[in-house]
């Protein structure tokens, strides 16, 4: 388990983990960061933990490719 034996999870732990994922895919890192933030926010709201260690970590910039929309001629060829 990644943080299972730690007594305290810090912002550095979260940044390192998400940073490793971002080396492969920034969109996957952003999804993971959003899930981690939601998880810790749930713990804060339920008074299980004092603070969210992921609070303040910004999302990674993403370069989204535009979706391919085939021209009408290509559609007619297929049909």
């Amino acid at each position: 388990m990644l943080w299972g034996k730690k007594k305290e999870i810090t912002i550095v732990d979260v940044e390192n983990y998400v940073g490793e994922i971002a080396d492969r895919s920034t969109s996957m890192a952003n999804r993971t960061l959003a899930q981690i933030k939601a998880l810790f926010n749930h713990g804060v709201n339920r008074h299980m933990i004092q603070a969210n260690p992921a609070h303040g970590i910004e999302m990674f910039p993403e370069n989204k490719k535009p979706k391919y929309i085939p021209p009408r001629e290509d559609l007619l060829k297929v049909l």
Side-chain angles (χ1 to χ4, degrees):
M1 196 174 250
L2 181 64
W3 299 320
K5 295 184 180 183
K6 292 191 74 135
K7 291 187 179 195
E8 183 179 352
I9 300 168
T10 65
I11 191 170
V12 175
D13 296 327
V14 177
E15 286 175 335
N16 288 341
Y17 177 66
V18 177
E20 289 174 10
I21 296 172
D23 291 340
R24 290 177 273 150
S25 169
T26 55
S27 62
M28 185 181 294
N30 285 338
R31 284 194 306 268
T32 302
L33 180 57
Q35 291 173 349
I36 290 171
K37 285 181 177 183
L39 173 71
F40 284 113
N41 279 335
H42 181 74
V44 170
N45 291 340
R46 298 284 181 189
H47 305 290
M48 298 159 79
I49 59 174
Q50 297 294 321
N52 183 344
H55 181 73
I57 300 175
E58 294 188 20
M59 296 290 195
F60 292 91
E62 291 186 47
N63 294 330
K64 293 190 177 189
K65 296 177 185 175
K67 290 186 178 183
Y68 173 72
I69 300 174
R72 181 180 171 93
E73 296 78 29
D74 289 349
L75 288 175
L76 294 175
K77 287 179 189 177
V78 172
L79 296 175

